[in-house]
Amino acid sequence: MTNEFQPKKGNQPEGVEDCRSSMPKVESNTGRGNSSESTSTRYWEVSSLLEPVKGGQQQDRREAEAAIEEAAAVLAAGGTVAFPTETVYGLGADARSTEAVERIFAAKGRPSDNPLIVHIADESQLAELVSDVPEAARKLMAAFWPGPLTIVLPVREGAVSPKVTAGLFTVGVRMPAHDIALRLIAAAGCPVAAPSANRSGRPSPTLASHVGEDLAGAIDGIVDGGPTGVGLESTVVECGAGGEVTVLRPGGITAEALAAVAACVSLDPALQGGGVAHVPAQPRSPGMKYTHYAPKGRLCVVKGAAPQVAARIQAELDAAAARGERTGVLAFDEHLQLYRADAVQSLGSLAELAEAAHRLYAALRRFDEEGVGFMMAEACPEEGLGAAVMNRLLKAAGHEVIYV
């Protein structure tokens, strides 16, 4: 099913937004790098491909399969198409085409020195992209592909546009664990460069409607496969000749899970430094250098013991309210009752940080929808998936932290 995209307004059930109705044309002057040219964004609803086949749904499934082929043809022709993965929605283009990749940067407003991750549908595609795959990388692929793990490898000369690598001699590659993404990439017949499908710096999209809010009119199409799973971008790693694995960006595959497969796992100094001081001028991975995932208002994270954290957050919220600001708080279920604010968003239980990962970006976008200008957030332990949650939360806050 294909339409043109306009985000649907109105209240939806928790974590679910729908945009399946026929939609009027949406245009923008941020499309293909030419201020005089706008893009009509097409829309394909394909979530039926993720459901068990039933007799009465055969027609829906055939239409969804045809929609995938149509979206893939747009990619193959050099267009930009947003699509779901198990992490967040990505904005895809043919990784081999500089013109196509430039459309990603133009639509997102992304800095040109920020490399892109290349998505593949089959491990056999690696041979055309990279010149070497260390044994440690092969072990990680066997354990975690398809899945939310990006591996940085030496790029084969001429295999992808130099815009993808941002001048580096390496390229990050992953195979997503999402049937719609795999179908689309395979049908397009090309490696697909795909950062998150949002305006640069904004919270990453976990629903097709989030993509529409940021990019409708600036890209060629949106494939709607429903809500994403993990909710945070992939883990990015680099493998050394001796088998060591360095985490460049934490994500859905934890350091602890990597350590069960790799001989030695360490964090890049940029992650250990607690800010941007240790980030090289040329980042080796997306998410290393710039403030990302940020809401429109000011966000601050508070770290410390629970009673002191809650007291400090409420004091900051009260002061902001006295200044006439609309306030919001991101907190865990165990402490929600302690807060008074214009908007209170739950990150789930501290005992289930996968829920925090899944909810984080949608919560930040809800603050924007409600016009919240001043936000406070509780920190969480940085073990396991908590490392990725805190990485994204601190970047969203521009590393503004209060310690109590």
Side-chain angles (χ1 to χ4, degrees), residues 55-347:
Q57 297 176 332
Q58 292 286 2
Q59 182 62 29
D60 287 345
R61 192 173 184 88
R62 283 193 292 269
E63 289 180 356
E65 289 171 346
I68 290 289
E69 294 294 329
E70 189 175 319
V74 173
L75 281 175
T80 51
V81 174
F83 61 95
T85 75
E86 80 280 23
T87 58
V88 299
Y89 273 76
L91 176 57
D94 185 346
R96 305 166 302 183
S97 167
T98 292
E99 183 180 2
V101 172
E102 284 177 340
R103 291 172 182 166
I104 291 177
F105 284 93
K108 284 177 60 70
R110 183 182 177 94
S112 61
D113 66 344
N114 204 3
L116 303 179
I117 291 169
V118 176
H119 295 64
I120 60 176
D122 190 276
E123 195 172 324
S124 63
Q125 293 177 270
L126 269 180
E128 65 188 60
L129 294 174
V130 304
S131 58
D132 181 52
V133 182
E135 181 59 28
R138 294 216 178 268
K139 289 181 179 179
L140 294 177
M141 292 172 195
F144 301 113
W145 277 14
L149 179 67
T150 295
I151 304 177
V152 175
L153 298 164
V155 66
R156 185 176 293 279
E157 185 176 359
V160 299
S161 164
K163 294 288 185 179
V164 170
T165 60
L168 297 173
F169 296 104
T170 56
V171 63
V173 184
R174 92 175 186 98
M175 188 192 307
H178 195 290
D179 186 55
I180 288 171
L182 294 174
R183 283 171 178 260
L184 179 67
I185 297 165
C190 62
V192 175
S196 55
N198 56 294
R199 289 289 298 174
S200 187
R202 294 274 292 133
S204 297
T206 55
L207 296 168
S209 57
H210 295 161
V211 180
E213 289 165 10
D214 281 9
L215 299 179
I219 62 177
D220 294 303
I222 300 171
V223 175
D224 184 357
T228 61
V230 177
L232 297 180
E233 296 81 358
S234 63
T235 302
V236 181
V237 301
E238 195 166 32
C239 299
E244 63 276 12
V245 173
T246 302
V247 177
L248 304 181
R249 181 181 73 183
I253 304 298
T254 67
E256 292 83 352
L258 293 169
V261 177
C264 176
V265 176
S266 63
L267 300 181
D268 186 90
L271 299 176
Q272 299 172 6
V276 297
H278 297 280
V279 178
Q282 173 61 67
R284 308 199 310 283
S285 162
M288 291 186 75
K289 183 176 181 180
Y290 297 96
T291 297
H292 289 267
Y293 327 116
K296 295 176 181 177
R298 177 189 173 193
L299 173 66
C300 181
V301 179
V302 182
K303 290 185 174 185
Q308 290 83 2
V309 166
R312 181 59 182 269
I313 286 177
Q314 192 58 56
E316 296 287 344
L317 292 171
D318 291 343
R323 296 192 298 267
E325 296 185 74
R326 187 165 175 79
T327 61
V329 61
L330 269 175
F332 291 90
D333 288 350
E334 291 84 348
H335 312 133
L336 283 181
Q337 73 280 3
L338 301 176
Y339 298 112
R340 302 178 308 279
D342 294 309
V344 178
Q345 293 291 336
S346 167
L347 288 173

